[in-house]
Amino acid sequence: MTTLSFAILLVVAITGFVLNRQAAYAIGTTGNRLHSIPWFHGLYSALTILVPAIVLVLVWLVAKDPIIDMIVMGGLPDEARTGLSDGETQLLLAEIKSIAGGRIFGEPEDWKLAAAERFASLHDISSIALVVVTALLAIVLLIITRKQVGREFRARQRAEGIIDRLLIFCSVVAIFTTVGIIAALLFETIKFFRMVPITEFLFGMNWEPQIPIREDQIAATGAFGWIPVIVGTLVITTVALLVAAPVGLASAMYLNEFAPRQLRAVAKPILEILAGIPTVVYGFFAILVVAPALRSAGQALGLDVSPNTALAAGGVMGIMLIPFISSFADDAMAAVPRSLRDGALALGATRAEMMVQVVFPAAIPGIVGGVLLAVSRAIGETMIVVMAAGLIASLTINPLDSVTTVTVQIVTLLIGDTSFDNPKTLAAFALGMMLFLVTLVINIFALRIVRRYREAYD
Amino acid sequence: MTDATQSAAHDAEGRYKLIARSLVRRRGRQARMKFYGMAALGFAFLMLAILVGSLLMSGYRAFTQTHVTLSVFVDPEEVKVERLPRGDFDDVLAASLAELFPDVDTGSRAEMRELSSILSNGAQFQLRDMIVDDPELIGTTVTVTVPVSDPFDQLGKGLVLRETPEDQRRVTDQQIAWFDALDERGAISEPFNWALFTHADSRFPELAGLKGALIGSFWALLVCFLISFPLGIGAAIYLEEFAPKNKISDFIEININNLAAVPSVVFGLLALAVFINWFGMPRSAPFVGGMTLALMTLPTIIIATRAALKAVPPSIREAALGVGASRQQVVFDHVLPLAMPGILTGTIIGLAQALGETAPLLLIGMNAFITSAASTPFDSATALPTQIFIWADSPERGFVSRTSAAILVLLGFLILMNGIAVFLRNRLHRSW
């Protein structure tokens, strides 16, 4: 039915376009000078029909299900409705829907059958109503716009006004997204902090996100202190940077000053390939090759290396970040003015001394910005750690041990069926909130450094 | 010669030696630095080579699948026309196997089970479909080529070491003997594994394929493109061409730059809370996945489009304005078409990133076990990267090579998309 509504809309809009353009054209051929060319009269009609009608259809689609649910639940007998928890309401609704869908288990009560029938009929009514209402709206708009065609009608300004507003809407979507992220995270996080005190979350040293299945379970409370999780994240991030920063900086310096032109032309795209490989591939690489290799190397040295060692996840993440750091550093060094380099060389510095003592310090702000962005990447990176790091939060900074990260916990807490009324699920949102805030601060800081620095030499 | 000049000459010689020594040291330092740079670059290349090499080494085997060819007598006792599509097809297959080995006691259930475990669980369905298509075959002897089960696929590919003690491998000595006997008869073949592309997911590695994941990824990318392409271009046009330079525009711009750096898993949280929990959209649906990916791709497209618009020289705009075009006509009729190659390049690169994105799809449930391909974007489905994640988690040996193969397929698509982007950039690029 939705498809039909869209089809009707499209047909009416095209009709409006053609009708208005022809009407305007007819006025034009009688010798009158039109304010706007006929094409704009057509465009005005099509846009005036499409925009409100599409908004209507979308609002309808989003609002339809909750409203129908509300009506059905409201129509239930009182004794069936009172004293239900959120979960039970959902369950009842699901049962009514499945009866309405023809999947009947056992012998449901009469009022459930009645509710299912009402549900089904409301559904039918709403889809027919959608088609009728959109068709009516479109045709009304078609008639109105057709009447507006005239010699003096400023169709171009009207049409461009609509387009202008559409463009503004497009660019505001980015703000909507940010607002959506913040709202979603904040909303669920506040719910979480109602169940678990914020001080326990921020300063607790234990992370055991269990929830009791029965009231009387032993060790049923679970612990939600994020310190071990954030420490694990920092361990892996540090390992990643210890791999990525030296390799990235050294290769950037080499490519920037010493590499022959042909090598540079080949090497940069190859490094970009490393950046383009999806993280799930790196995760598989970590468990297939790197972790077993580290484990056997550790055994040869007599070290006890955990199968989910932070070294494997962090090292592979480091490989992923090499091109990131290298390209930022390369850009920063390329932005150092030629005059500084020439000055150093003229004083008799070797090229290495010029790079280390002049170019590198001059490029430091840009490089720091790039490394900070890499840190934020490493903290937010998910798939590598989900596949290669551990699940259990242990408070350790030994990279040979298994540690867990914020993103791993978010994913493991939310995989599978989730209900939004227990602290286990909500804890993931609290972690997400912290992750968002930390990376946001680092990003803003890094972007500011990079930008200010760029302006300094431009 | 006086003393003074002599000592001066001496000094000069000393200084010269000093300089020469320090030069050697300084040049040595430069050589070392060059070496470190080359070593770093070499390390990065080596890692890339190991990554791709290990995937190829473990993945190429999944592109073939061991099959066994059998002459099957379709026993009318076991398979009856009136009961189709039901029938004891597995017994029919087991009997035809047992016929090849007269020393197998057909009365012993254990032995028969051991023998028929050579065949894949999917073999009986292949035979069933064949009989359902043509019921005339009942009572005749047909030749079928069916896949063998995963342990024997590994055996056929030489991945099971025959030297390992019997209790440490998944096939018994007796089964190996049967398999070798089949091989000697020429019944074993290893054709291209079409099932990898024509089957959806399965618990059995030999039957598992990527069809469901490919279709799921296709729907998600289509939705992602349909949302992010118009929105991205619209936003970029507004910000680049029409937006007044004020605080609001600055705020939007900072917003977009920050969105590009928000961790992907946070977008998954957004989708889970807003799309699924608040709006009640279906879990595991490529439609929801596509919307999430669209939000992530949007900043990439906006940034690429703005760069492309900026690259169109002002003379084009001025000429169009000069002949009386409105500002929107200038943009839509002149600037935008000229910027299109750059926009398309950026869009394809953004979509390639979206294709490899996994974490947000995990949170909206696109890692479910789904054995049929989605026919609309609202059905449950997996995507290529989430399928890789599922297979990487599966314990069966056969899934290791299939995971690598799936990664190779994913990388193939990424190379293709990036190749198109590079081609567009080189082919349609205009220098002004």
Side-chain angles (χ1 to χ4, degrees), chain A residues 274-304:
Chain A
L274 273 178
I277 292 176
T279 53
V280 67
V281 178
Y282 280 112
F284 186 62
F285 177 59
I287 49 178
L288 182 74
V289 179
V290 179
L294 286 174
R295 202 166 153 68
S296 45
Q299 263 162 3
L301 294 172
L303 290 171
D304 184 27

Side-chain angles (χ1 to χ4, degrees), chain B residues 334-397:
Chain B
H334 301 280
V335 179
L336 197 57
L338 290 173
M340 239 347 153
I343 297 174
L344 287 177
T345 309
T347 305
I348 294 172
I349 288 172
L351 287 179
Q353 276 169 14
L355 178 61
E357 202 54 68
T358 323
L361 301 185
L362 289 184
L363 294 195
I364 60 163
M366 284 189 78
N367 59 334
F369 176 68
I370 294 151
T371 52
S372 60
S375 47
T376 71
F378 301 97
D379 297 340
S380 294
T382 56
L384 210 41
T386 49
Q387 190 70 59
I388 291 168
F389 177 68
I390 299 170
W391 283 359
D393 254 6
S394 305
E396 286 88 354
R397 278 280 301 275

Side-chain angles (χ1 to χ4, degrees), chain A residues 284 288-289, chain B residues 51-63 157 159 397-405 407-408:
Chain A
F284 186 62
L288 182 74
V289 179
Chain B
L51 173 75
V52 176
S54 62
L55 289 174
L56 283 174
M57 286 302 290
S58 87
Y60 82 97
R61 290 183 180 278
F63 287 102
K157 287 169 180 170
L159 294 174
R397 278 280 301 275
F399 277 123
V400 175
S401 63
R402 271 172 175 76
T403 311
S404 304
I407 288 177
L408 291 176

Side-chain angles (χ1 to χ4, degrees), chain B residues 153-173:
Chain B
D153 185 38
Q154 307 285 337
L155 182 69
K157 287 169 180 170
L159 294 174
V160 173
L161 294 179
R162 283 153 206 259
E163 301 87 67
T164 17
E166 191 176 3
D167 54 347
Q168 284 175 23
R169 44 179 150 80
R170 286 167 64 206
V171 286
T172 62
D173 287 340

